[in-house]
Amino acid sequence: MKIEKVGVVGAGLMGSGIAEISAKAGYDVLVREVDDDASAKGLGRIERSLNRAVEKEKLTADERDAALGRIAFTTEVDALADRDLVIEAIVENLEAKNALFGHLDGICGDHTIFASNTSSLTVTDMAAATNRPDRVVGLHFFNPVPVMKLVEVVRTIATSDATVEAAFAYSRAVGKQPIAAKDNSGFVVNLLLVPYMLDAIRQLERGVASIEDMDTGMVLGCGYPMGPFTLCDFVGNDTTLRIAEIMFDEYREQRYAPPPLLRRMVAMGRFGRKAGQGFYDYSGDQPTPLPI
Ligand code: CAA
Ligand code: NAD
């Protein structure tokens, strides 16, 4: 299972990072987005991230250009037919992911491995939508992908040893530390992290403290790199809502239930940093908390 050509589906927060690290590692990368506008946004994210690495002297300008030269964009799913590995990072929605994998199953080679970057869905549900469940695996990256070192490699009851080995090898090749995770909703990290984020929103609903003070509390009191509301905005409140709905549906435990305030935020389009507004407003020099 030699991987040379990587396909990435979705060039949002996660897909753009996955494309970037794959190209930096020398893979030939083809990214599929829904339209030219979304492709341009994804490419812009990759360019900004690579430029930042050049400014910080972690990458030379030649290496940046070489990495960019290895990334192409398409709006055609069928263009992914020649890929050895396809990683999806589209919306957190099982129907959308199954439709994608079902289509890819009909056009990709028998050897092609399908990977999902899902946060909370089970990979088994996606594998069941294909005729190659032994070649379907979870590759759960963390945001921001170029910085966070972890990848959860998720094995279903049907994933073959060869697929798992290829997923570990690819993860190491892109500079990540893989850990093995079972295919339970939330895997290892989100099982613990998501209740923490949701609980912070519940405490805000209860009026425990302000957004800023709760963020400052967790940064200065516990040494977390960002407080829970900055993190919610960073992950995307729309994505967190979907994750919470999926995990609550799976476990029926209150700690995964989406707090009403999170629904209100999403209804108002306050998706977080990517939308310019979330718990904070990002239009000025510094994020400022919005009234809740
Ligand atoms: N892309 C590329 N590089 C980035 C970046 C980005 N989006 N954001 C930051 N960086 C780099 C910077 O260039 C900088 O590099 P150097 O150390 O070489 O200087 C480094 O990261 C630190 O950045 P900054 O100094 O600008 O900012 P910071 O110290 O505040 O760190 C952070 C930023 C790395 C994002 C840090 O705040 C952090 O670790 N936050 C927590 C992130 C987290 O918890 N992620 C997991 C989210 S949950 C998830 O992903 C799973 C899911 O399914 C929802
Ligand atoms: P995002 O909203 O930033 O990006 C999703 C992108 O997918 C959008 O650009 C959209 O145009 C594109 N898209 C939607 N349907 C598509 C299709 N059929 N083909 C091609 N592109 C399509 O979302 P994100 O935060 O990058 O999350 C993507 C996936 O990664 C989700 O499954 C999410 O749960 C998971 N994830 C997110 C984070 C995070 O912190 N945001 C971390 C780990 C995993």
Side-chain angles (χ1 to χ4, degrees):
M1 285 189 168
K2 193 164 166 45
I3 294 168
E4 287 172 351
K5 295 181 176 180
V6 174
V8 178
V9 190
L13 293 176
M14 299 304 290
S16 55
I18 296 167
E20 175 190 332
I21 59 167
S22 299
K24 271 201 298 200
Y27 293 102
D28 170 325
V29 181
L30 183 61
V31 186
R32 195 261 160 162
E33 254 296 351
V34 287
D35 56 33
D36 291 341
D37 187 42
S39 298
K41 280 192 186 139
L43 178 60
R45 270 196 204 95
I46 296 170
E47 285 173 340
R48 278 194 299 282
S49 179
L50 287 171
N51 285 340
R52 189 193 319 217
V54 172
E55 277 160 29
K56 300 211 163 175
E57 297 182 352
K58 282 182 167 177
L59 205 66
T60 66
D62 285 350
E63 286 166 338
R64 172 199 58 201
D65 296 344
L68 283 172
R70 284 190 283 269
I71 304 176
F73 276 79
T74 181
T75 53
E76 301 299 325
V77 186
D78 290 356
L80 298 167
D82 69 345
R83 300 289 106 180
D84 304 313
L85 167 68
V86 180
I87 306 170
E88 73 75 22
I90 66 170
V91 280
E92 187 72 340
N93 176 297
L94 184 61
E95 279 176 19
K97 290 186 196 283
N98 280 355
L100 172 70
F101 282 132
H103 186 114
L104 289 172
D105 200 31
I107 58 161
C108 290
D110 282 347
H111 72 290
T112 306
I113 294 175
F114 295 164
S116 172
N117 184 51
T118 181
S119 301
S120 54
L121 293 162
T122 59
V123 179
T124 311
D125 283 334
M126 289 171 239
T130 73
N131 291 312
R132 63 179 81 206
D134 55 316
R135 280 149 289 159
V136 181
V137 69
L139 278 174
H140 185 220
F141 290 89
F142 290 81
N143 182 16
V145 179
V147 181
M148 307 314 273
K149 284 281 172 219
L150 187 72
V151 179
E152 293 175 315
V153 175
V154 184
R155 173 178 207 147
T156 76
I157 51 171
T159 314
S160 68
D161 288 345
T163 300
V164 172
E165 279 161 26
F168 267 80
Y170 163 80
S171 302
R172 292 195 180 100
V174 294
K176 302 300 177 197
Q177 167 79 53
I179 60 170
K182 281 192 184 162
D183 188 29
N184 54 277
S185 174
F187 314 130
V188 176
V189 174
N190 282 347
L191 213 50
L192 301 172
L193 181 66
V194 172
Y196 158 74
M197 292 160 72
L198 300 178
D199 222 23
I201 300 171
R202 274 189 266 278
Q203 303 321 319
L204 183 65
E205 287 174 334
R206 288 172 55 192
V208 164
S210 68
I211 290 172
E212 258 175 324
D213 283 352
M214 285 170 77
D215 269 357
T216 302
M218 293 312 290
V219 172
L220 298 187
C222 297
Y224 283 24
M226 38 173 72
F229 299 104
T230 304
L231 182 61
C232 285
D233 278 357
F234 190 65
V235 166
N237 292 311
D238 52 337
T239 300
T240 302
L241 176 59
R242 283 177 192 275
I243 293 171
E245 283 168 337
I246 291 162
M247 292 183 78
F248 182 66
D249 195 38
E250 178 81 1
Y251 298 115
R252 308 293 163 121
E253 291 177 25
Q254 203 192 342
R255 61 193 169 139
Y256 300 112
L261 176 59
L262 181 59
R263 289 191 191 283
R264 307 290 177 271
M265 303 279 296
V266 173
M268 287 310 296
R270 291 197 196 174
F271 296 164
R273 198 184 283 201
K274 66 184 174 186
Q277 280 201 334
F279 289 98
Y280 291 88
D281 180 285
Y282 296 91
S283 57
D285 289 344
Q286 291 295 323
T288 45
L290 282 165
I292 293 296

